[in-house]
Amino acid sequence: AAAIAATGDIVAPLLDGFRMEGYRHLEGACNSDFPSNPTCGYPKYPNRCLVPGTYPSAPSPPLPSDCTCGSPWVRDRAHAMMGALAESPAAAWGATMASNDAFHDVSDVRPFHLPHTFSPAPGKSCKTAGLANCILNTTTVTMPVYNVYDSLDTGLYPVAATELRTKMKSRSALWGSAGVNASAIDFKKLDQDNLDTCSQINAAAYAWAMGKASATARARFGAKGQP
């Protein structure tokens, strides 16, 4: 019993990391085009194919009801960092964001999957829509990339995703939806020439992992690991 408990202590941070990623070998990924997990609540957008009439068939058998909706890291952390509403003028009126994520190949065109702000509606903002509470309801799309050798199951290669390719709304778009005046939104500064946000999201993921690791694991990683 003691050995089992000790093993649980060792693997707990790994499982936390897998869950935060949305690891495919814990519970398989959902397909938001054919919803099976009622907790996902992921609206489709734009739900159109490059070539009309080529919409794929539903999975058979249907995916399980406990499949993984998307990446909690993207949903809860990455998209909020991209939006940076707390650093925007919209912080003055308490603008926040409620995001949802789904797993898809980001190159998929049957159908297209794009990030979207559903509320306020496109062309509106919290101010023009007259929303008393400014909460942006948004979606993102994430494609986990795994090592090609993962399927060999040898224990010699990383098993977690090596990359989360994610489509998110731009910071400029999110600020606009929150009601920030156009004169205060500099696309070039906020997005086009912004080389910091992606590295900050990666650094936050690294810090999260280090915070979850045991003192022994951190010491070993410091001595032999590669950030």
Side-chain angles (χ1 to χ4, degrees), residues 11 33 37 73 101 134 136 145 190 193 216 227:
V11 302
D33 296 332
N37 184 338
W73 174 258
D101 187 63
C134 183
L136 308 187
V145 179
L190 294 177
D193 294 341
T216 300

Side-chain angles (χ1 to χ4, degrees), residues 46-217:
N47 200 32
R48 293 195 299 269
C49 298
L50 179 64
V51 179
T54 61
Y55 208 94
S57 301
S60 182
L63 296 177
S65 60
D66 62 349
C67 57
T68 301
C69 304
S71 170
W73 174 258
V74 174
R75 180 194 65 204
D76 299 335
R77 301 289 294 275
H79 203 210
M81 293 181 69
M82 172 61 76
L85 293 178
E87 303 168 20
S88 76
W93 51 90
T96 59
M97 184 162 59
S99 191
N100 209 345
D101 187 63
F103 288 134
H104 287 286
D105 189 320
V106 294
S107 65
D108 194 6
V109 295
R110 300 179 55 239
F112 289 102
H113 303 99
L114 298 174
H116 192 61
T117 299
F118 287 87
S119 176
K124 298 282 187 179
S125 71
C126 286
K127 287 186 174 181
T128 60
L131 300 180
N133 296 315
C134 183
I135 302 174
L136 308 187
N137 289 297
T138 67
T139 56
T140 55
V141 183
T142 297
M143 174 182 173
V145 179
Y146 292 95
N147 193 300
V148 294
Y149 298 117
D150 178 40
S151 60
L152 298 179
D153 196 24
T154 62
L156 299 177
Y157 306 98
V159 296
T162 57
E163 179 184 358
L164 295 177
R165 295 178 185 169
T166 303
K167 296 180 180 179
M168 295 184 276
K169 294 296 292 183
S170 70
R171 184 169 294 181
S172 298
L174 292 168
W175 283 25
S177 293
V180 177
N181 289 333
S183 60
I185 298 176
D186 184 343
F187 174 76
K188 186 175 176 63
K189 177 182 178 181
L190 294 177
D191 293 297
Q192 182 175 315
D193 294 341
N194 182 352
L195 302 179
D196 297 327
T197 301
C198 287
S199 64
Q200 289 167 353
I201 292 172
N202 288 337
Y206 179 82
W208 184 93
M210 293 300 285
K212 285 287 183 178
S214 67
T216 300

